[in-house]
Amino acid sequence: MNKKLRCPMGVPGGIIAAVVGLVGMVISFNNANWLSFAFAGALFLIGGPMARVTMMVHSALDQIEELKK
């Protein structure tokens, strides 16, 4: 089975979203800005699923391409 060598753009985007959310949580916690803390927490929590969904979509598209061949 031949694996495709491509990097889905959702993976780096999800990782960046998680890192930015984590940094935002730390900064807003230190400044006692609770509204920003909530938004940064939401960004942190959505980063992982965003990367996973993109990986699943790309693997499904690869399987569809193989079935067409």
Side-chain angles (χ1 to χ4, degrees):
M1 190 170 194
N2 208 1
K3 288 261 185 188
K4 303 244 182 207
L5 294 175
R6 65 175 165 173
C7 179
M9 287 309 295
V11 175
I15 293 170
I16 290 170
V19 169
V20 168
L22 185 63
V23 170
M25 285 171 56
V26 170
I27 290 172
S28 62
F29 183 78
N30 285 338
N31 293 332
N33 190 350
W34 303 116
L35 185 62
S36 295
F37 183 80
F39 285 124
L43 184 62
F44 175 73
L45 291 176
I46 206 165
M50 182 170 61
R52 180 67 184 140
V53 166
T54 305
M55 287 172 46
M56 287 181 0
V57 167
H58 280 282
S59 66
L61 288 175
D62 289 341
Q63 290 177 0
I64 289 172
E65 288 176 6
E66 290 296 321
L67 287 174
K68 283 184 180 178
K69 289 180 185 177

